[in-house]
Amino acid sequence: MHADSSKSAATYEDLLKVPDHLVAEILDGELHATPRPGLPHARAASVLGGTLGGPFDHGMGGPGGWWILFEPELHLADDILVPDLAGWRRERLPRIPAEAYMAVAPDWVCEVVSPSTEALDRVKKIAIYAREAVSHLWLINPTTRTLEVLALESGRWVLLSTHADRGSVGARPFDAMAFELGTLWSGTSQG
């Protein structure tokens, strides 16, 4: 679902009318409604959130210092985004607000790309993340079993590394601890 260019910019009220079985976002004034992700996508996001959450969010056996949230609704300027995972350094965000959305740009975002969202993730959303000075971006593709690690440098995304299939990965900003990449797709028909 895309807004007609002759119409005014999409509003939050437009977003609220989208059925719950779709993920709704407003990017550059356009309403985008995409299907909920497939199970390999959900598996990768869930495993990664659990893997990072223990040592970085809860400080269990790791450095702590982060808030890591699944599918937070971000209100950044006039855009409303729903990344798969996002993280805030606690030194920048001491407490999680009580609202249903976050108006503070994250320090790290992870988008798990799928065929229905890849163009939005790789074009519109990363441009917004750069504009909002999100420092780190991970792009995970469960179909190709890859992880791309990007960092924002002088307002531009720089590819730091690409990891494929399996192996131990320690990637910024969570390079204090490594994790096994293959766990993101283990148990799926592709893993």
Side-chain angles (χ1 to χ4, degrees):
M1 179 183 301
H2 300 284
D4 183 332
S5 61
S6 65
K7 294 183 181 178
S8 60
T11 66
Y12 194 68
E13 288 72 31
D14 297 327
L15 185 140
L16 292 174
K17 293 175 187 172
V18 174
D20 289 342
H21 69 279
L22 299 172
V23 176
E25 299 175 294
I26 297 175
L27 310 172
D28 298 327
E30 290 184 277
L31 177 64
H32 296 270
T34 55
R36 286 261 163 218
L39 295 179
H41 177 122
R43 168 78 179 156
S46 296
V47 171
L48 182 62
T51 298
L52 297 177
F56 291 97
D57 188 324
H58 307 306
M60 298 183 321
W66 287 81
W67 300 115
I68 297 175
L69 301 177
F70 285 94
E71 295 186 350
E73 184 175 297
L74 305 177
H75 290 215
L76 305 175
D78 292 329
D79 298 298
I80 299 174
L81 301 90
V82 182
D84 293 290
L85 292 160
W88 291 260
R89 293 182 190 276
R90 290 186 188 197
E91 62 200 31
R92 279 191 55 240
L93 186 72
R95 294 181 165 265
I96 296 174
E99 292 80 18
Y101 62 89
M102 181 71 76
V104 175
D107 295 292
W108 167 80
V109 169
C110 178
E111 293 287 357
V112 182
V113 300
S114 61
S116 64
T117 65
E118 188 164 16
L120 288 176
D121 291 339
R122 289 186 177 277
V123 179
K124 288 188 178 254
K125 289 176 84 171
I126 68 169
I128 293 166
Y129 295 142
R131 179 196 75 208
E132 296 296 322
V134 173
S135 302
H136 302 279
L137 171 66
W138 290 10
L139 296 171
I140 293 177
N141 187 325
T143 303
T144 59
R145 298 191 297 188
T146 56
L147 162 63
E148 295 170 75
V149 178
L150 297 100
L152 192 65
E153 295 181 7
S154 301
R156 301 180 73 91
W157 291 111
V158 174
L159 180 64
L160 299 179
S161 59
T162 302
H163 307 273
D165 196 29
R166 303 189 183 286
S168 182
V169 174
R172 287 180 23 195
F174 303 110
D175 49 347
M177 295 187 68
F179 68 95
E180 175 55 44
L181 186 61
T183 61
L184 302 184
W185 19 87
S186 66
T188 66
S189 60
Q190 297 162 327

